[in-house]
């Protein structure tokens, strides 16, 4: 049973459980995808039915940040813990490396995925980088075909939300990998062109504030955060 936060159903798993589930999916026949919504994406899903369907249609829906965990607690249906997409990805790569599995990196500006690939291959010996491509391709069909041709077991799809969720829902099957993970700006962090908030900020639920200070252009997007809390409060009132 998923935990409903404003129309998005989250899997109630710890980080370790999430990585275990990810590995199970990697070993199950067919194509599966993982999404990691934060409050901003939940807000997008409230307004965009296609995005909501793509998110809820995922095989694993992980609460990316403390905001979603707080929202779930306020609604009286607590989630075990936050499962940040980038940490989930790290856990998955560790296990994939042990098994010699292969990963395709799709997304971010030209050159970033290649750089991320080089760094990840060095960081996770045993992990195979099946291929890389930037996230500004024009045609979906040939892109999915290129991923399939690489024979990758897993694909990190980092096109920003909700583009990556819609892409995985529609083209995941054609891309052929067992598992696709929508991971937003993670390739920028893996490549070293962006940094994550220091632990102090994320431990105190202030990662959003750190990101805002670093990237003031995010202010408009971030207005979705207080809006999310207002909507959770309203939903709580209805219960
Ligand atoms: N991006 C992309 N293709 C697009 C739009 C965005 O590859 O058409 C990339 C962008 O370069 C960045 C990532 O998607 O690397 C989105 O990062 P952002 O920090 O906005 O995502 P978040 O982690 O906040 O969801």
């Amino acid at each position: 049973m998923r935990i409903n936060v404003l129309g998005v159903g989250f899997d109630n798993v710890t980080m370790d459980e999430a990585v275990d589930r990810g590995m199970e999916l990697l070993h199950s026949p067919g194509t599966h995808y993982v999404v990691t919504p934060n409050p901003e994406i939940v807000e997008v899903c409230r307004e965009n039915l296609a995005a909501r369907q793509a998110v809820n249609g995922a095989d694993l829906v992980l609460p990316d940040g403390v905001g979603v965990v707080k929202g779930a607690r306020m609604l009286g249906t607590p989630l075990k813990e936050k499962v940040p997409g980038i940490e989930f990805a790290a856990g998955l790569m560790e296990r994939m490396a042990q098994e010699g599995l292969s990963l395709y990196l799709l997304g971010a500006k030209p050159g970033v995925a290649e750089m991320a690939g080089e760094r990840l291959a060095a960081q996770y010996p045993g992990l195979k980088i099946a291929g890389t491509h930037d996230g500004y391709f024009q045609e979906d069909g040939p892109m999915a075909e290129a991923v399939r041709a690489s024979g990758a077991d897993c694909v990190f799809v980092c096109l920003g939300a909700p583009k990556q969720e819609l892409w995985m829902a529609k083209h995941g099957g054609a891309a052929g990998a067992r598992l696709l993970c929508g991971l937003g700006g993670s390739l920028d962090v893996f490549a070293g062109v962006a940094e994550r908030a220091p632990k102090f900020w994320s431990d105190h639920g202030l990662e959003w504030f750190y990101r805002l200070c670093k990237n003031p252009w995010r202010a408009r997007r971030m207005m979705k955060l207080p809006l999310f809390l207002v909507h959770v409060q309203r939903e709580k009132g209805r219960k």
Side-chain angles (χ1 to χ4, degrees):
M1 256 281 281
R2 284 184 171 165
I3 291 193
N4 182 352
V5 178
L6 303 181
V8 172
F10 286 88
D11 285 287
N12 190 15
V13 287
T14 62
M15 175 61 79
D16 288 345
E17 288 166 347
V19 173
D20 284 346
R21 291 277 298 279
M23 288 309 290
E24 265 168 47
L25 293 171
L26 249 172
H27 288 295
S28 312
T31 294
H32 315 88
Y33 67 98
V34 182
V35 296
T36 63
N38 57 18
E40 208 177 300
I41 302 176
V42 173
E43 280 300 312
V44 169
C45 289
R46 291 186 77 245
E47 291 157 14
N48 179 336
L49 177 65
R52 186 160 75 237
Q53 285 171 340
V55 165
N56 284 330
D59 297 271
L60 196 52
V61 183
L62 304 173
D64 184 61
V66 73
V68 172
V69 172
K70 277 199 175 130
R73 196 183 314 135
M74 282 166 73
L75 292 167
T77 47
L79 284 158
K80 288 179 186 166
E81 62 183 17
K82 66 173 175 174
V83 185
I86 196 157
E87 289 170 26
F88 167 75
L92 206 61
M93 285 189 287
E94 208 170 301
R95 300 271 293 273
M96 286 178 62
Q98 286 163 10
E99 299 185 24
L101 297 176
S102 62
L103 176 64
Y104 194 103
L105 304 175
L106 176 60
K109 298 212 171 89
V112 173
E114 285 89 330
M115 221 176 345
E118 282 167 22
R119 289 175 64 145
L120 294 174
Q123 205 175 338
Y124 299 96
L127 179 71
K128 295 188 185 109
I129 303 298
T132 60
H133 200 287
D134 67 74
Y136 296 88
F137 51 89
Q138 297 302 316
E139 289 181 79
D140 295 318
M143 189 64 252
E145 188 46 49
V147 174
R148 174 182 286 271
S150 78
D153 297 299
C154 180
V155 192
F156 288 175
V157 184
C158 303
L159 309 174
K163 192 172 174 183
Q164 63 204 8
E165 288 75 13
L166 294 167
W167 200 86
M168 292 190 293
K170 194 159 175 207
H171 304 286
R178 287 267 164 85
L179 187 67
L180 298 98
C181 308
L183 295 168
S186 300
L187 289 185
D188 297 310
V189 176
F190 292 143
V193 297
E195 52 171 346
R196 273 199 85 193
K199 197 168 171 314
F200 169 85
W201 298 91
S202 51
D203 279 356
H204 290 81
L206 289 170
E207 186 157 2
W208 62 272
F209 183 66
Y210 182 85
R211 290 179 96 182
L212 180 61
C213 294
K214 287 259 163 187
N215 307 292
W217 55 267
R218 279 184 179 270
R220 250 190 97 221
R221 264 175 70 177
M222 283 195 169
M223 284 314 290
K224 290 224 181 325
L225 271 167
L227 204 60
F228 171 80
L229 290 174
V230 168
H231 290 144
V232 168
Q233 270 300 349
R234 199 184 295 158
E235 184 63 31
K236 191 178 158 193
R238 280 206 202 103
K239 282 197 165 186

